[in-house]
Amino acid sequence: MHCNHCLFYVAGLFVAYAFDDISQKKVATQSHTPEGQNTEASNAVDRKTSTCMRTLPIGRNNPQKTVWWKVDLDGVYNIQSINILFKNYDGYEDRQRGRFAGFSLYVSNTGVIQGSRLCYKNGPHDHLPPLNFTAICPESGRYVIFYNERYAGSTYPTGSELENVFTELCEVIVKGCNNPSFYGSKCDIPCPTNCSDSTCHIQSGACFTCKPGWTGIHCNKTCTDGWYGVNCSQQCVGHCRDGVTCNQQTGQCDTGCDKGWTGVMCDKGILEGGKKD
């Protein structure tokens, strides 16, 4: 590897120096690994640039069409950026950039791409990615997932390698706050009290979702009468005693039901003789 790539690597780290490295030596897995080689997924989080993970090749005519690598941060964290150092070979930089072209980065709470939040996509009209790549990704999640594919009929950036596409990640550095309940460039500002899971946008402090009964960007406003639940998105459905509104967190009628109604939400009518509708 050329020295200049090492300098770029250091520069990439320096950009996000105020944030914590939350992926170092965490548990990593990948879709497939060549036998008999020291190229397991954990090589991308060991902070040794001389060791890289590697997968079986993907390609339009290869048996494997997709590849993924992911790291489990061992908890939900506020993420600021994702820095990837792709492996380079002397004189083959363009080939390597073409191999990584088209890749995506996801942030997930479950570890699967379905339902994850797309952080970055190298689209068909984009340039080939640099071998030292950083994506700003102000998300909250437990897993960071690298994904790439090579399907016949799909369009990839000009210069993409389409066959025998090896994925070799030497380091994946996820920057964020070690304490997920804090945000800011120094990770020293508490997230608003009513943010769900006590996590918030790492730059602005805005809540991703609110605890039941609260709404607003910083979840500092109570639900208006007649509404309850997460982000105040559910309407009270019962007949609470004396017209009192339902509990803004649970939707239940804490003071009891009006005459003729029953149930914790007072949504079940009672016929004469005590029988329910």
Side-chain angles (χ1 to χ4, degrees):
M1 184 183 297
H2 287 305
C3 283
N4 58 334
H5 291 293
C6 298
L7 291 173
F8 289 158
Y9 176 62
V10 173
L13 287 175
F14 181 76
V15 168
Y17 74 96
F19 294 98
D20 303 315
D21 181 350
I22 57 177
S23 59
Q24 182 174 5
K25 296 185 178 178
K26 296 293 178 68
V27 175
T29 52
Q30 60 195 42
S31 51
H32 31 77
T33 306
E35 295 184 5
Q37 299 183 30
N38 180 25
T39 57
E40 59 266 18
S42 60
N43 287 354
V45 289
D46 62 3
R47 297 303 174 263
K48 299 177 182 178
T49 59
S50 59
T51 60
C52 309
M53 58 74 71
R54 179 171 175 154
T55 63
L56 296 173
I58 61 172
R60 292 176 171 178
N61 295 314
N62 286 92
Q64 306 288 344
K65 307 297 182 187
T66 64
V67 60
W68 57 261
W69 175 96
K70 65 183 176 184
V71 57
D72 180 356
L73 302 176
D74 196 27
V76 176
Y77 287 89
N78 285 336
I79 296 170
Q80 195 272 340
S81 64
I82 303 170
N83 174 236
I84 301 178
L85 180 66
F86 297 108
K87 187 168 184 176
N88 192 13
Y89 294 92
D90 291 344
Y92 293 95
E93 181 173 341
D94 288 344
R95 183 200 67 181
Q96 291 299 91
R97 293 176 65 196
R99 284 177 169 177
F100 300 121
F103 79 93
S104 304
L105 293 174
Y106 295 89
V107 175
S108 167
N109 287 332
T110 63
V112 296
I113 291 177
Q114 293 76 12
S116 298
R117 296 171 296 283
L118 179 65
C119 170
Y120 172 81
K121 168 66 177 175
N122 183 232
H125 303 296
D126 293 334
H127 295 295
L128 296 180
L131 296 182
N132 186 309
F133 173 86
T134 297
I136 302 301
C137 185
E139 291 283 354
S140 176
R142 174 167 179 160
Y143 298 88
V144 170
I145 305 171
F146 171 96
Y147 172 83
N148 210 350
E149 63 180 43
R150 287 295 185 269
Y151 284 117
S154 295
T155 303
Y156 302 101
T158 301
S160 296
E161 296 286 324
L162 301 178
E163 303 296 342
N164 296 319
V165 177
F166 290 95
T167 297
E168 297 170 292
L169 313 180
C170 295
E171 287 301 319
V172 179
I173 303 168
V174 182
K175 287 285 187 172
C177 294
N178 269 327
N179 189 329
S181 297
F182 285 76
Y183 74 100
S185 61
K186 297 181 180 179
C187 295
D188 58 352
I189 308 173
C191 289
T193 303
N194 296 310
C195 289
S196 180
D197 298 321
S198 297
T199 59
C200 60
H201 192 286
I202 198 167
Q203 295 172 342
S204 68
C207 299
F208 296 107
T209 57
C210 298
K211 292 179 180 178
W214 297 90
T215 188
I217 295 175
H218 294 97
C219 298
N220 56 357
K221 299 177 182 178
T222 58
C223 300
T224 56
D225 288 349
W227 294 86
Y228 76 99
V230 176
N231 290 330
C232 301
S233 59
Q234 296 174 274
Q235 192 169 11
C236 297
V237 297
H239 299 266
C240 299
R241 179 179 296 169
D242 301 326
V244 175
T245 189
C246 71
N247 185 296
Q248 293 177 324
Q249 296 180 358
T250 66
Q252 299 178 2
C253 293
D254 295 337
T255 59
C257 304
D258 272 341
K259 185 178 179 180
W261 297 91
T262 188
V264 293
M265 292 187 173
C266 300
D267 56 349
K268 296 181 175 67
I270 302 177
L271 295 176
E272 290 185 9
K275 295 180 179 180
K276 296 180 182 179
D277 283 335

